[in-house]
Amino acid sequence: MSDENTFRPKDRNFIESGYKQQLKQSSLTDLLVHSNYNTLSLRENKRNIDEPVNYVRIKALEESIRRDIISDKNSLHRAITPLLILMQMSGLLPVQGIRRQNTSYLVFNWFSWILAYSIILVGSSVLMVSLVVCNLYSNGLSYEVIGDLLFHGGTLIMYTLFIHLAREWPKVMEKWELMEREMKQYGYPSNMAFRIKMFSCIILILSTIEHLASILTGVLKAIHCSSDGLDIFKHYIFTWKTFFTYINYSFAVAVILKFFDCLYSFAWNFIDLLIIILACALTDKFKQLNQKLASVRGKVLPSVYWRKSRETYNILASLTHDFDEFLSPVILLSFGHNLYFICYQLLNSLKPMLSPWEALCFAFLFTYLVGRTCVVSLYVASINDQSKKPKAVLFSVPAECYGVEVERFLMQVMSDELSFTGCNFFSVTRTFMLTVAGTIVTYEIVLIQFNNVASGVPNQNNTITNYCSKLL
């Protein structure tokens, strides 16, 4: 027994020491293997030092596959291309890749020609604002000077803002493209590309007529100030007395000045058109979801269906918030500009017209401005209208399939106010339109009352004389 007891510990110790030796040998071999692997990997890295790591290769492969995807012609990226071309002709949204096949080619480049063109327009706006401020300091405050200051100041803000938005445009369009892929089973809105082209053509034609009408109004006034009819253009250009107060009149400078004025006028029309088209595109996506929900109204469906529908609605709601964050400064600028110049035109309506043609041009200018503002408001307000329509379907869900998913869906529809805002100062809904209309009517009533207080009937000859004296 003692021999066994004395022998076993020795045997156990022998086994443990052998096991430790095996561990040491295995650790040594592992070190050798790892060192050899490291040396091999170092050699391989030295040979292929420019090759990316595997995950970088996978990412590059995904990017190459994405670049090969050709978007549908009714996708927003391809459908909105004609409008973006018109906007870039006016110096707005200087982003590259708008004509390519998908959003992966969109890029903002600080050294592109389109950005240089936009910066030139920013510089011209800065010059005009500086001259208006100098005129304000020299001649005092008047509503004509305030109108010039707000127009050129708003133009400067507009071009500066769209340079910033051009940096965000690729990200926004990438989110939209991901949403289109998530809603692939719904398809693309029918005739989306055709409708955007139609909107662009209508706004382009009407804005051209608007600018020609404003030119005709100025020319009709300049005719009365011209003695022989040969210096009509000079007197018409002198309506921009702000500029030619500080430099001598030159035909070349006058043409350049008129070119910039034309670009500014078209740019204001195009930002309204951009708001209309983006609101229309988002509304169409809500309509697709609402049509699918309306087709199953009152039917018994599993909770999986309502969960997927709620997730689709949530994607659209998230995209609405993203677009609102992107567009809200533009909406605030657009509505502020349009509402001020509606009031400005109402004030001009109290002045005597020098000819029937001038009255006709004024009527068109005022009608077009009010109509454009109403169209923008209606299309933007339709987002809020369509986002509330699933509520009627969810209230009609049968009791046997009413569950947590339906309740969550209904709560989100009722509590989430989806609409575009003007930097969260106001939400563009149908109620907002009534508020604005009431404000304009109140302003017009006040103007009429002040005009009735003014004594005497204006003489047309005195009006022409006073107008011509301001130009000289």
Side-chain angles (χ1 to χ4, degrees):
M1 294 292 294
S2 61
D3 293 335
E4 291 178 0
N5 292 332
T6 56
F7 178 75
R8 284 179 182 174
K10 290 181 181 179
D11 189 34
R12 189 181 298 115
N13 291 333
F14 175 76
I15 293 172
E16 288 177 0
S17 62
Y19 181 69
K20 289 180 180 179
Q21 288 179 358
Q22 289 179 359
L23 287 176
K24 290 180 181 179
Q25 289 178 358
S26 63
S27 62
L28 288 173
T29 54
D30 289 336
L31 288 173
L32 289 173
V33 170
H34 283 297
S35 62
N36 292 332
Y37 177 78
N38 290 331
T39 53
L40 288 173
S41 61
L42 287 173
R43 290 175 183 175
E44 186 178 359
N45 288 333
K46 287 180 181 179
R47 293 175 184 175
N48 304 320
I49 193 168
D50 294 329
E51 289 187 5
V53 193
N54 288 336
Y55 72 89
V56 180
R57 294 179 183 176
I58 294 173
K59 187 176 180 181
L61 180 61
E62 291 177 352
E63 186 67 22
S64 64
I65 293 173
R66 184 187 167 205
R67 284 177 172 268
D68 293 335
I69 297 175
I70 300 177
S71 300
D72 189 85
K73 66 176 183 179
N74 287 317
S75 64
L76 182 61
H77 169 69
R78 292 186 61 187
I80 205 174
T81 300
L83 171 60
L84 297 185
I85 293 173
L86 292 175
M87 292 180 66
Q88 290 189 351
M89 290 174 64
S90 299
L92 298 174
L93 207 67
V95 64
Q96 294 178 315
I98 59 174
R99 300 186 184 184
R100 304 300 293 270
Q101 56 195 17
N102 56 51
T103 60
S104 62
Y105 292 93
L106 293 174
V107 63
F108 176 80
N109 187 5
W110 284 103
F111 300 99
S112 61
W113 66 268
I114 185 63
L115 181 61
Y117 179 50
S118 299
I119 292 175
I120 291 173
L121 293 176
V122 170
S124 65
S125 300
V126 171
L127 177 61
M128 293 304 299
V129 170
S130 302
L131 293 174
V132 172
V133 171
C134 292
N135 189 22
L136 177 63
Y137 180 77
S138 302
N139 301 323
L141 188 65
S142 63
Y143 82 95
E144 291 93 350
V145 175
I146 293 176
D148 292 338
L149 181 61
L150 290 177
F151 177 78
H152 294 291
T155 303
L156 174 60
I157 296 173
M158 175 182 63
Y159 279 107
T160 307
L161 176 62
F162 269 89
I163 291 176
H164 170 69
L165 295 182
R167 301 172 61 187
E168 302 295 328
W169 183 257
K171 299 178 184 177
V172 172
M173 292 305 296
E174 183 179 356
K175 291 180 181 179
W176 183 275
E177 191 175 65
L178 289 175
M179 180 272 297
E180 288 179 333
R181 292 177 185 175
E182 290 291 333
M183 296 183 65
K184 193 173 182 180
Q185 68 274 16
Y186 292 86
Y188 293 94
S190 59
N191 299 324
M192 182 70 178
F194 173 75
R195 282 184 293 161
I196 291 180
K197 290 178 181 178
M198 182 184 67
F199 275 127
S200 301
C201 290
I202 291 174
I203 293 296
L204 182 61
I205 293 172
L206 290 177
S207 58
T208 303
I209 297 174
E210 177 201 25
H211 196 67
L212 292 176
S214 64
I215 293 175
L216 181 60
T217 302
V219 170
L220 290 174
K221 291 180 179 179
I223 289 175
H224 297 285
C225 305
S226 177
S227 58
D228 55 359
L230 298 177
D231 55 349
I232 294 176
F233 183 75
K234 181 178 179 179
H235 283 92
Y236 166 65
I237 290 297
F238 263 94
T239 55
W240 296 311
K241 194 175 180 180
T242 301
F243 193 83
F244 288 106
T245 302
Y246 302 97
I247 64 172
N248 295 326
Y249 172 78
S250 171
F251 181 78
V253 175
V255 170
I256 295 173
L257 183 63
K258 188 59 189 173
F259 172 74
F260 283 120
D261 181 69
C262 182
L263 286 180
Y264 299 157
S265 300
F266 279 98
W268 283 108
N269 286 273
F270 291 150
I271 66 170
D272 286 344
L273 181 57
L274 177 66
I275 296 171
I276 291 172
I277 288 177
L278 292 181
C280 182
L282 193 56
T283 302
D284 286 343
K285 286 299 179 181
F286 276 107
K287 283 182 179 179
Q288 287 181 324
L289 177 61
N290 292 332
Q291 289 172 359
K292 189 171 183 180
L293 291 176
S295 64
V296 298
R297 183 172 183 173
K299 296 182 180 180
V300 178
L301 296 171
S303 61
V304 177
Y305 177 84
W306 297 111
R307 179 175 60 83
K308 291 183 178 179
S309 299
R310 180 183 59 81
E311 290 174 352
T312 303
Y313 184 88
N314 193 37
I315 291 173
L316 293 176
S318 177
L319 193 63
T320 303
H321 291 302
D322 291 337
F323 264 63
D324 176 53
E325 185 179 356
F326 174 77
L327 270 183
S328 58
V330 181
I331 292 175
L332 180 63
L333 183 64
S334 173
F335 275 89
H337 175 271
N338 290 340
L339 293 179
Y340 174 80
F341 280 97
I342 286 174
C343 296
Y344 185 82
Q345 293 293 345
L346 287 174
L347 183 60
N348 287 332
S349 66
L350 301 178
K351 293 182 178 181
M353 303 294 174
L354 301 180
S355 66
W357 285 105
E358 183 181 351
L360 181 62
C361 292
F362 171 80
F364 174 79
L365 290 172
F366 182 74
T367 304
Y368 173 66
L369 182 58
V370 173
R372 192 180 72 200
T373 306
C374 291
V375 170
V376 173
S377 302
L378 285 173
Y379 272 98
V380 176
S382 62
I383 297 174
N384 182 262
D385 297 337
Q386 292 295 326
S387 67
K388 297 299 181 183
K389 284 191 174 182
K391 182 170 58 176
V393 178
L394 295 174
F395 278 132
S396 303
V397 173
E400 53 267 27
C401 65
Y402 188 88
V404 177
E405 293 298 335
V406 178
E407 186 178 358
R408 291 180 64 187
F409 195 178
L410 182 59
M411 184 179 296
Q412 183 174 5
V413 172
M414 295 182 65
S415 61
D416 199 358
E417 291 294 330
L418 298 179
S419 61
F420 285 171
T421 65
C423 292
N424 292 322
F425 287 108
F426 57 87
S427 297
V428 184
T429 59
R430 294 183 183 272
T431 307
F432 172 76
M433 290 184 60
L434 292 177
T435 304
V436 172
T439 304
I440 293 174
V441 171
T442 304
Y443 176 75
E444 177 66 11
I445 292 173
V446 172
L447 285 179
I448 293 174
Q449 289 177 348
F450 274 104
N451 189 51
N452 291 333
V453 171
S455 60
V457 178
N459 188 356
Q460 185 175 5
N461 294 326
N462 293 333
T463 303
I464 295 173
T465 304
N466 293 331
Y467 175 78
C468 294
S469 63
K470 292 180 180 179
L471 299 181
L472 300 176

